[in-house]
Amino acid sequence: MTIATIGDVEFGIELPTFEPDTSLATGTRFADLISWDGVRFRDHEGAKKEGFQGAIIPGILNQGYLVAMIHNWAPPAEVVSVDTVFRAPVIADDSHSITGVVTDIDEEDGKVEIDLTVTNDKDETRVFGTAVIRLPT
Amino acid sequence: MDADIEAVRGKYLNLDFDENEFFIDPAITTEYARLCGETAERFLDPEHPDFQASPTYIASLSGRRMLPKDFPRFGIGMDAGKAIECFQPVRPGKPITGRSHIHDIFTKTGRSGRMVFVVMRIEFYDQDGNHLANADSRSVQREKSQ
């Protein structure tokens, strides 16, 4: 169900699971776009030499996935804030999924709070965050 | 609060230490949105009447310095997270100004010792001085064992 107004949102409802494109090609393209240097974003072997399990997805791209997920679920949503904790690296070319759950609704202000979690295919949490969005009343 | 942290807070909190101008390139913001998996047209189509940069785009803009020039080092630094606050949309095709300051300094003490958290905030303003957004970068420095 696509969300159009705050009246469509129920406390505790889960957002549709989002599968972000965490391919190395996308991570590299993103790092190039924002002018982030570092072999860790571009090459698995080079990243391993830096102590990672493989090439990693830039943290900001992970934050971008969270917001894209919200807009897929609620296209008119205006993001008020997003707070993200990078608990462990998101390894490029591994499969990941993002889940979200509505944890608060403020109908008076038109605001909704959502907890979001990025997990890998071993069900390990890599990134988690909280977003506050504003929806039409 | 520890006396040394109290002193550092008193010296550095809320004082601008960097100012930078950023041109918001529509070609970059649309590609940024596409790579994030955005589907909302207002982030992807420059002809859209409400065309704007993806809310997290500002987190990719960095100043010339991450910390004030003489800011003390407590140990090895690591990225502890990022946060954004949006007040008005960032409109591509125009410059914005980013001003950096230390927003918070606090500690947590665990079995491995004290960790010092520093929150560096960049406040973004448009050409008319409207406050558009904040981008916070949290870093944590783990103190070396004595």
Side-chain angles (χ1 to χ4, degrees):
Chain A
M1 176 186 173
T2 302
I3 301 298
T5 71
I6 197 163
D8 298 331
V9 183
E10 293 174 29
F11 178 78
I13 196 170
E14 291 184 9
L15 280 65
T17 300
F18 183 76
E19 295 190 355
D21 175 4
T22 52
S23 65
L24 179 60
T26 292
T28 300
R29 174 81 187 111
F30 188 87
D32 289 342
L33 188 74
I34 63 171
S35 302
W36 274 19
D37 295 328
V39 70
R40 68 185 63 176
F41 305 121
R42 294 173 170 82
D43 177 64
H44 286 301
E45 292 310 312
K48 286 176 183 172
K49 287 177 186 168
E50 291 189 353
F52 297 100
Q53 293 173 336
I56 64 173
I57 295 295
I60 294 171
L61 179 52
N62 294 315
Q63 205 177 38
Y65 294 146
L66 303 183
V67 171
M69 176 186 182
I70 291 168
H71 287 140
N72 287 352
W73 170 68
E78 291 176 18
V79 171
V80 175
S81 64
V82 183
D83 194 340
T84 317
V85 175
F86 305 125
R87 186 170 177 181
V90 169
I91 304 299
D93 288 335
D94 283 359
S95 297
H96 292 79
S97 59
I98 308 177
T99 55
V101 61
V102 171
T103 55
D104 194 22
I105 301 172
D106 182 341
E107 297 218 22
E108 205 166 293
D109 286 346
K111 289 182 182 175
V112 174
E113 186 176 284
I114 305 164
D115 281 356
L116 298 147
T117 308
V118 180
T119 53
N120 62 14
D121 54 9
K122 298 184 187 103
D123 209 26
E124 297 167 330
T125 297
R126 315 308 278 177
V127 178
F128 58 89
T130 301
V132 176
I133 61 171
R134 186 177 289 111
L135 284 165
T137 51
Chain B
M1 180 171 289
D2 298 340
D4 60 335
I5 299 301
E6 195 70 70
V8 172
R9 287 172 58 91
K11 184 173 179 185
Y12 293 101
L13 278 194
N14 301 317
L15 297 173
D16 288 350
F17 63 86
D18 188 41
E19 181 170 321
N20 231 353
E21 189 167 280
F22 304 94
F23 177 71
I24 308 302
D25 185 338
I28 291 178
T29 66
T30 51
E31 180 66 356
Y32 181 103
R34 190 188 69 77
L35 291 170
C36 290
E38 275 288 356
T39 50
E41 285 299 311
R42 63 186 183 277
F43 306 109
L44 297 165
D45 179 7
E47 303 303 317
H48 192 281
D50 192 27
F51 180 52
Q52 57 188 272
S54 180
T56 63
Y57 176 73
I58 53 161
S60 73
L61 305 176
S62 53
R64 287 164 296 198
R65 301 191 60 83
M66 284 297 292
L67 293 169
K69 197 171 181 179
D70 55 349
F71 193 80
R73 301 283 173 186
F74 297 91
I76 299 168
M78 293 177 289
D79 189 346
K82 297 199 183 301
I84 57 161
E85 284 181 286
C86 307
F87 308 121
Q88 295 183 39
V90 172
R91 303 293 182 187
K94 295 176 180 174
I96 62 173
T97 299
R99 295 192 195 109
S100 306
H101 68 266
I102 301 298
H103 179 67
D104 200 6
I105 306 167
F106 58 95
T107 60
K108 291 183 182 177
T109 303
R111 280 174 296 183
S112 60
R114 192 174 73 159
M115 295 185 293
V116 181
F117 289 79
V118 179
V119 181
M120 189 277 287
R121 172 169 290 179
I122 307 181
E123 296 181 344
F124 293 97
Y125 297 86
D126 67 13
Q127 290 171 294
D128 297 323
N130 297 307
H131 192 177
L132 303 177
N134 293 333
D136 289 355
S137 296
R138 281 190 302 273
S139 63
V140 57
Q141 298 179 40
R142 188 185 297 275
E143 285 187 318
K144 294 171 188 162
S145 302
Q146 298 300 313

